Amino acid sequence: IAAGFIVLGLTAWIWLMFDEHVARAIQRLAAAMRARAHTDVDGELDPDRARYLGDLAMAAQAVTGTLSETKNALAEAVERETTRLSLENARLQALLADVPAGVLLCTAEHQIVFYNGPAQALLSGESAPGLDRSLLLSLRPGPLQAAHARLLRSEDPDAATDLICAAMGSGEVFAGRMRLGRLG
């Protein structure tokens, strides 16, 4: 009976040591990695908390360090590109500010990405143009889509097509020219 209690006590003691030094250490390491993945925690992982896990703590430190460097590099790249796009937008606005004709730049899905003052004045009405709004909300879609289809069928990269379309609200008729822009 005494031997049974000793074996039971040793088993419980080994289980508690395993729980404290392995299972909880893995949980703390995972929580620290999760915190570093979702926040800007810069401190290193404490290797003493995972001393019984072998090289796992050092591997986790390397992974979280690389993740932090990648997040920082991505944030810098986004900031650089945002600055570059802002400068290009400012240059484009300066160039088109004195153009008396309305100028609209749209995506292939007819989402407005840029417009100048005269274009805003021409299209102001029930649904004034706005960035990332569909041009099809301001102008009748038929002529725009037909002109876009003609340009897509054209094999000339510098092709342009004339179009006549009407505003949705007022019915005012506009004459325009459409070109496909190439990126890069």
Side-chain angles (χ1 to χ4, degrees):
I1 293 175
F5 281 117
I6 290 173
V7 169
L8 185 62
L10 283 173
T11 304
W13 180 75
I14 290 171
W15 176 70
L16 287 173
M17 291 296 110
F18 178 82
D19 185 56
E20 179 62 31
H21 295 295
V22 177
R24 289 187 190 197
I26 289 173
Q27 287 177 342
R28 285 191 296 266
L29 187 61
M33 288 178 68
R34 196 175 306 112
R36 282 161 178 74
H38 296 293
T39 61
D40 291 331
V41 176
D42 290 333
E44 292 189 11
L45 296 173
D46 184 11
D48 289 337
R49 297 179 101 185
R51 65 180 169 265
Y52 297 106
L53 297 179
D55 198 34
L56 188 60
M58 293 302 170
Q61 179 64 37
V63 167
T64 56
T66 302
L67 177 64
S68 177
E69 290 171 8
T70 302
K71 284 182 0 183
N72 290 339
L74 180 62
E76 289 174 7
V78 166
E79 184 178 343
R80 250 191 336 269
E81 286 301 307
T82 301
T83 303
R84 185 184 66 80
L85 289 173
S86 295
L87 289 172
E88 285 183 18
N89 190 18
R91 270 190 244 138
L92 186 58
Q93 285 178 352
L95 285 172
L96 295 176
D98 296 330
V99 174
V103 177
L104 289 165
L105 299 178
C106 299
T107 65
E109 293 80 27
H110 307 293
Q111 297 296 109
I112 299 172
V113 293
F114 179 83
Y115 58 92
N116 65 354
Q120 183 178 12
L122 286 172
L123 296 176
S124 64
E126 291 177 15
S127 61
L131 296 180
D132 204 31
R133 287 190 186 161
S134 177
L135 184 60
L136 303 179
L137 296 175
S138 299
L139 299 175
R140 301 237 182 249
L144 291 172
Q145 292 169 336
H148 188 246
R150 280 194 305 271
L151 289 173
L152 289 175
R153 286 190 305 267
S154 172
E155 294 185 19
D156 184 8
D158 297 323
T161 186
D162 293 325
L163 69 129
I164 296 176
C165 56
M168 290 293 265
S170 66
E172 190 175 353
V173 177
F174 299 105
R177 177 169 279 230
M178 182 184 289
R179 287 196 176 126
L180 295 179
R182 305 282 187 234
L183 294 176

